[in-house]
Amino acid sequence: MKNLYEQGQMIETTVAAVSGDTVFINLGLKSEGFVSKAEFCDENGNCSVKEGDRIRVYFLGGKNDELHFTTKLSGQNAGKDFLENAFRNGVPVEGNVTKEIKGGFEVTVGTTRAFCPYSQMGYRQRKEPAEYIGQHLTFKIQEYKNDGKNIVLSNRAFLEEQSKAELETLSQKYTAGMTVTGKILSVESYGAFVDLNGFQALLPVSEISHARVENIFDVLKPGQEITAKIIRADWQHEKVSLSAKELETDPWENAEKQFPAGLKTEGKISRVADFGIFVNLAPGIDGLVHISKLNVDRGTNLKKKYTPGEIFPVTVEKVDAQEKRISLAPTSSSEEQDNADSYFSAHSNDDDGETYNPFAALLKNR
């Protein structure tokens, strides 16, 4: 049985069982291989694997028909032969960063000294060199020369592989269209970053709510739990976008019934543009009063005449729920036009078909 695998040989298999301090793996043999459960546990003792999970492990050795595997080589099993096999098979190794030397760091792997260049220490978040001293980290062996006297390590290569594997797992778990719940990590003017099992997804400010968000910092806070829908999942570029708005009822669904043509109402001015003013009628519903319907002189700067937040009476002229547009007119001007129309209509029969003349009507009534 001891000749079935070479030391450091990598295999991909499934977890047969997790029992006590051991993770048993399927080898297709009468006996099973085993890995120390501690290799799969975080600092709180939570185990990351369960029966049926696929894992990648490396052969350490066999004794009494027991085949011992590992996910990475540590000090106690990092002898010369193991290190050479680790280099050939790409097995991660653990080491202690002992000191800073010219061009990088000295790292001790077991009893062997190795070198890690500055450029190969850390991945996305680089620290000051002094911060790495004394740390116990995981590396990939990039070079193994002179019978192990010259070993070059890379912490970055290991972290890149780890990140890639984590992203692969996340990409299978989180897909576009799913509803997820996570905690807000940080809030920026353009949106909030939400934690999804260690990955930061973006909730853009435009996707927070159908209602206009004036100040995102008044709505969202770090540590707040939020439920949203994944509207974009581009794992290749590590970009995931969320929308809480997608889980809300679209206010435009009942807009035509809620705001029929001819309805007189009022709302707050939400935005002033060069071509007119937008009036908020309900959360998520703004209507437009075009400049041509405003009683202003040609060339008037609307932003100087109208102020967001100001109450503005309007009359609904037309609703296009599909395009999410409502045409409005100032109620005052609409009423004036209605009064004028009623006045001329009432006197339409007094002029015998001629244009109404108030002076002629006065003489006729004498």
Side-chain angles (χ1 to χ4, degrees), residues 80-293:
K80 175 184 171 182
D81 292 338
F82 279 109
L83 290 177
E84 187 172 2
N85 280 320
F87 168 64
R88 291 176 178 174
N89 295 287
V91 183
V93 298
E94 292 182 341
N96 293 309
V97 183
T98 54
K99 60 183 177 181
E100 183 180 3
I101 57 179
K102 185 178 179 180
F105 305 87
E106 181 181 277
V107 180
T108 301
V109 182
T111 58
T112 304
R113 288 186 301 176
F115 173 69
C116 178
Y118 285 126
S119 63
Q120 297 302 309
M121 185 66 81
Y123 179 30
R124 290 176 176 166
Q125 296 181 343
R126 297 293 182 86
K127 303 176 183 178
E128 292 297 320
E131 296 184 62
Y132 289 106
I133 308 302
Q135 289 198 30
H136 186 77
L137 303 174
T138 304
F139 303 84
K140 295 294 288 290
I141 301 177
Q142 302 292 86
E143 293 182 17
Y144 186 92
K145 297 179 179 179
N146 299 329
D147 199 28
K149 294 179 181 179
N150 297 104
I151 299 176
V152 179
L153 306 175
S154 174
N155 171 248
R156 177 176 179 174
F158 169 76
L159 294 175
E160 285 179 341
E161 283 190 7
Q162 187 180 56
S163 176
K164 185 177 180 180
E166 290 173 352
L167 284 175
E168 179 64 27
T169 300
L170 289 172
S171 68
Q172 295 176 11
K173 184 175 182 179
Y174 297 111
T175 57
M178 287 183 60
T179 298
V180 295
T181 299
K183 284 189 176 181
I184 295 176
L185 295 173
S186 63
V187 180
E188 307 293 340
S189 59
Y190 52 85
F193 288 96
V194 181
D195 176 56
L196 296 181
N197 276 2
F199 183 84
Q200 294 186 28
L202 176 65
L203 173 64
V205 65
S206 61
E207 295 295 332
I208 294 174
S209 175
H210 284 287
R212 187 179 181 84
V213 176
E214 298 293 343
N215 188 343
I216 187 174
F217 300 101
D218 291 337
V219 180
L220 301 177
K221 305 290 182 184
Q224 178 181 340
E225 192 173 84
I226 190 167
T227 300
K229 183 178 180 180
I230 298 177
I231 55 175
R232 183 188 178 203
D234 182 358
W235 290 103
Q236 183 177 355
H237 297 95
E238 300 182 28
K239 293 182 179 179
V240 174
S241 298
L242 307 176
S243 174
K245 181 171 70 175
E246 286 284 324
L247 301 181
E248 296 178 345
T249 301
D250 189 344
W252 287 90
E253 289 183 3
N254 299 312
E256 292 181 344
K257 292 182 180 180
Q258 189 177 1
F259 302 104
L263 174 70
K264 292 179 174 59
T265 184
E266 65 179 18
K268 287 184 178 181
I269 296 176
S270 58
R271 184 161 61 95
V272 181
D274 294 335
F275 53 85
I277 60 175
F278 289 89
V279 179
N280 180 245
L281 304 178
I285 297 182
D286 285 2
L288 173 65
V289 181
H290 194 267
I291 189 172
S292 62
K293 295 171 184 174

Side-chain angles (χ1 to χ4, degrees), residues 293-365:
K293 295 171 184 174
L294 294 169
N295 185 24
V296 295
D297 296 328
R298 188 184 183 90
T300 298
N301 187 338
L302 299 183
K303 293 181 180 179
K304 291 184 178 181
K305 185 174 179 63
Y306 300 99
T307 305
E310 176 185 344
I311 299 296
F312 196 86
V314 293
T315 298
V316 178
E317 291 192 329
K318 183 181 179 181
V319 179
D320 187 341
Q322 187 172 358
E323 295 296 327
K324 297 186 177 181
R325 295 176 181 173
I326 294 183
S327 297
L328 304 173
T331 294
S332 56
S333 62
S334 296
E335 289 180 344
E336 288 171 1
Q337 184 62 45
D338 291 343
N339 292 338
D341 291 343
S342 298
Y343 181 76
F344 285 114
S345 176
H347 295 85
S348 62
N349 297 323
D350 295 342
D351 58 1
D352 297 324
E354 299 179 359
T355 301
Y356 177 71
N357 186 317
F359 295 104
L362 179 62
L363 293 173
K364 181 184 283 188
N365 290 333

